[in-house]
């Protein structure tokens, strides 16, 4: 394996173990630069090690810090998309405007300007669409941007985070993101923030940061995190963080070989279950594990069929949950090795069906029937799956394809939506009426 690709593979595994996302290979002219930039992003946004502190010595978190001194948002008027009631795929075109293409590929509407700031080769994150389909959120090097599909307005919310996956709250009031050991929640209407647990005065060393980034919303006031101070070398402590009080409530502790190095969680939409899976880190001892956690009772159910799918290195990439079901699309393997595989898994039935997809899955339609897939002209693809991805500034164009997928993982139809998506292949699904 060439040196650049070997460095990228190490970077990808490091990123996955701290809950960020793997970066597929770049063209040779970009490889080394992007590898270094990726490592800088990972070290600045999330610590690479978990402290050895036990639950007995961990101190309770302080109350959350409300957004004192948050810069006010800036709103820029723009051109709204025309009225339509069907769900359409939102993407950025080469004209730096918001586009919305129908799932049959026959109608492509153009709306507000949606520039993405940032340095060539750096990342931009998207949270996808609000539940009503009228607002989109993405984060670039300058701002958290709320883009109104129906109004055309673009609201810029300065946040003290350079790069992080984004999660809409169930009530659509907040965007949750990672702030190096804390959870930052930004109010999309006024830009105020809540940081929980509240950072103490002064800077903490990286081995004393309290929690991982949010793995998902349990309800409109609680997010799931891993309590690093209560975790150990062979146990990962999943807890519910109350954003109003800053307190942590235990949900479950997963015990597996080297869990601190290789385990991660993802919350199923609706907050009922959390999926735990792991993967080998470098050559450390590794016992594959996939578990379903009941967030209300803390019951842990091993999933042996899904566990058997875990490869020797890397584990699952980020799960792309299918709306209205207990299914998710996951991937195993590495693109540069030619062993990338996709599966449609069911966490209640403990089943997995191979999914024949060429490209990188981006989003399920809100009804769960259509899967949008992106293919880049130079393999400048996103990190992992779904709306928690990274679009690379300056990488384009992308071809977007809509696949009709049934509950058994069979693909019945394929429609090319566009060949001109740029920077962030899919912003989300929108409707304006």
């Amino acid at each position: 394996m060439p040196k650049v690709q070997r460095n990228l593979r190490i970077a990808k595994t490091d990123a996955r173990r701290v809950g960020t996302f793997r970066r597929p290979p770049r063209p040779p002219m970009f490889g080394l630069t992007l590898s270094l930039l990726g490592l800088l992003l990972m070290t600045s946004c999330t610590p690479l090690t978990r402290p050895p502190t036990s639950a007995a010595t961990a101190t309770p978190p302080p109350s959350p810090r409300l957004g004192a001194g948050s810069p006010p948002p800036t709103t820029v008027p723009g051109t709204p998309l025309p009225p339509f009631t069907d769900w359409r795929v939102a993407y950025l075109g080469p004209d730096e405007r918001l586009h919305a293409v129908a799932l049959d590929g026959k109608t492509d509407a153009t709306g507000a300007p949606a520039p993405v700031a940032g340095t060539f080769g750096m990342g931009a994150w998207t949270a996808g669409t609000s539940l009503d389909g009228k607002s989109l959120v993405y984060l670039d090097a300058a701002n958290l941007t709320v883009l109104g599909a129906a109004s055309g307005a673009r609201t810029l919310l300065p946040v003290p985070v350079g790069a992080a996956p984004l999660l809409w709250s169930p009530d659509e009031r907040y965007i949750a993101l990672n702030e190096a050991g804390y959870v930052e929640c930004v109010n999309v209407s006024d830009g105020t923030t809540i940081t929980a647990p509240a950072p103490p005065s002064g800077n903490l060393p990286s081995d004393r940061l309290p929690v991982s980034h949010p793995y998902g919303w349990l309800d409109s006031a609680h997010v799931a995190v891993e309590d690093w101070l209560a975790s150990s070398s062979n146990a990962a402590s999943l807890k519910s963080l109350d954003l109003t009080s800053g307190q942590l409530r235990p949900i479950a502790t997963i015990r597996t070989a080297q869990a601190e190095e290789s385990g991660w969680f993802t919350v199923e939409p609706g907050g009922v279950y959390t999926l735990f899976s792991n993967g080998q880190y470098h050559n450390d001892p590794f016992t594959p594990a996939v578990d379903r956690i009941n967030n209300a009772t803390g019951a842990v159910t091993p999933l042996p069929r899904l566990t058997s799918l875990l490869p020797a290195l890397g584990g699952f990439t980020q799960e792309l949950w299918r709306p209205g079901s207990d299914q998710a699309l996951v991937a195993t393997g590495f693109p540069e090795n030619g062993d990338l595989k996709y599966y449609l898994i069911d966490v209640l039935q403990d089943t997995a069906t191979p999914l024949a997809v060429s490209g990188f899955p981006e989003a399920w339609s809100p009804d769960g029937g259509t899967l949008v897939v992106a293919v880049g002209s130079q393999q400048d693809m996103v990190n992992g799956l779904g709306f928690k991805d990274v679009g690379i500034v300056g990488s384009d164009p992308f071809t977007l394809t809509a696949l009709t997928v049934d509950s058994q993982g069979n693909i019945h139809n394929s429609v090319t939506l566009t060949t001109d998506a740029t920077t962030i292949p899919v912003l989300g699904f929108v409707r304006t009426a």
Side-chain angles (χ1 to χ4, degrees):
M1 184 181 297
K3 182 177 180 181
V4 169
Q5 290 213 353
R6 182 167 61 249
N7 290 341
L8 282 173
R9 182 162 184 167
I10 293 171
K12 285 184 292 187
T13 309
D14 282 344
R16 199 63 183 95
R17 83 187 253 236
V18 298
T20 54
F21 302 89
R22 284 204 292 252
R23 187 182 304 280
R26 306 291 175 209
M29 65 180 294
F30 299 132
L32 183 58
T33 300
L34 292 184
S35 178
L36 293 174
L37 290 172
L39 289 172
L40 287 173
L41 280 175
M42 286 183 285
T43 54
S44 64
C45 297
T46 315
L48 293 180
T49 57
R50 182 183 297 115
T53 310
S54 67
T57 60
T59 56
S63 298
R65 177 189 64 194
L66 297 179
S70 299
T74 302
T75 299
V76 181
T79 305
L81 290 168
F84 52 85
T85 58
D86 56 316
W87 287 102
R88 301 186 182 183
V89 177
Y91 70 93
L92 299 182
D95 54 5
E96 291 193 331
R97 288 182 174 270
L98 175 66
H99 288 248
V101 58
L103 290 178
D104 60 7
K106 295 179 180 179
T107 305
D108 195 336
T110 303
V116 176
T119 304
F120 181 88
M122 298 296 285
W125 277 249
T126 174
T129 317
S130 61
L131 295 179
D132 62 6
K134 296 182 179 180
S135 297
L136 299 153
V137 169
Y138 61 87
L139 174 70
D140 60 25
N143 297 283
L144 185 70
T145 299
V146 182
L147 189 62
S151 68
R154 190 171 81 254
T155 302
L156 311 178
L157 305 172
V159 295
V161 178
L166 311 174
L167 299 169
W168 277 98
S169 65
D171 61 4
E172 301 183 342
R173 294 180 59 198
Y174 292 99
I175 295 294
L177 60 159
N178 176 44
E179 190 188 355
Y182 302 92
V183 176
E184 186 89 6
C185 286
V186 183
N187 189 313
V188 295
S189 64
D190 60 16
T192 58
T193 61
I194 298 173
T195 303
S201 58
N203 295 322
L204 288 176
S206 62
D207 64 350
R208 297 293 298 172
L209 298 178
V211 300
S212 66
H213 68 78
Y215 288 108
W217 289 85
L218 301 173
D219 56 43
S220 295
H222 300 84
V223 296
V225 297
E226 184 178 349
D227 184 347
W228 278 345
L229 296 180
S231 296
S232 63
S233 61
N234 62 354
S237 178
L238 179 69
K239 292 189 177 181
S240 169
L241 173 62
D242 188 322
L243 295 172
T244 60
S245 68
Q247 297 303 301
L248 292 163
R249 175 184 66 82
I251 297 178
T253 297
I254 300 294
R255 300 187 182 279
T256 184
Q258 296 299 313
E260 81 156 316
E261 301 292 354
S262 57
W264 51 90
F265 302 94
T266 177
V267 178
E268 184 177 340
V272 177
Y273 296 107
T274 293
L275 188 69
F276 172 87
S277 59
N278 66 357
Q280 189 175 29
Y281 176 65
H282 293 316
N283 295 317
D284 291 348
F286 172 58
T287 301
V290 180
D291 299 310
R292 183 182 70 242
I293 303 167
N294 186 310
N295 294 325
T297 66
V300 178
T301 303
L303 303 177
R305 293 178 184 174
L306 296 185
T307 299
S308 68
L309 296 177
L310 291 181
L313 181 66
F316 292 152
T317 58
Q318 177 70 23
E319 292 79 6
L320 180 58
W321 291 100
R322 188 174 197 169
S325 74
D326 295 293
Q327 295 182 331
L329 192 151
V330 301
T332 64
F334 293 103
E336 70 267 27
N337 292 347
D339 60 355
L340 185 66
K341 297 178 181 179
Y342 295 109
Y343 296 91
L344 184 64
I345 68 170
D346 190 306
V347 298
L348 287 186
Q349 303 299 321
D350 187 21
T351 58
T353 303
L355 199 62
V357 173
S358 177
F360 286 76
E362 287 295 310
W364 290 101
S365 60
D367 65 5
T370 301
L371 178 67
V372 179
V373 178
V375 176
S377 61
Q378 294 184 324
Q379 296 297 315
D380 270 341
M381 300 307 298
V382 291
N383 289 357
L385 306 174
F387 292 137
K388 305 172 188 65
D389 295 347
V390 182
I392 304 301
V393 175
S395 60
D396 56 77
F398 294 97
T399 295
L400 302 182
T401 303
L403 306 177
T404 303
V405 184
D406 65 21
S407 61
Q408 304 303 312
N410 300 306
I411 299 174
H412 296 285
N413 194 27
S414 175
V415 176
T416 298
L417 302 179
T418 181
T419 59
D420 289 324
T422 64
T423 302
I424 306 175
V426 175
L427 283 172
F429 278 82
V430 295
R431 58 184 179 186
T432 56

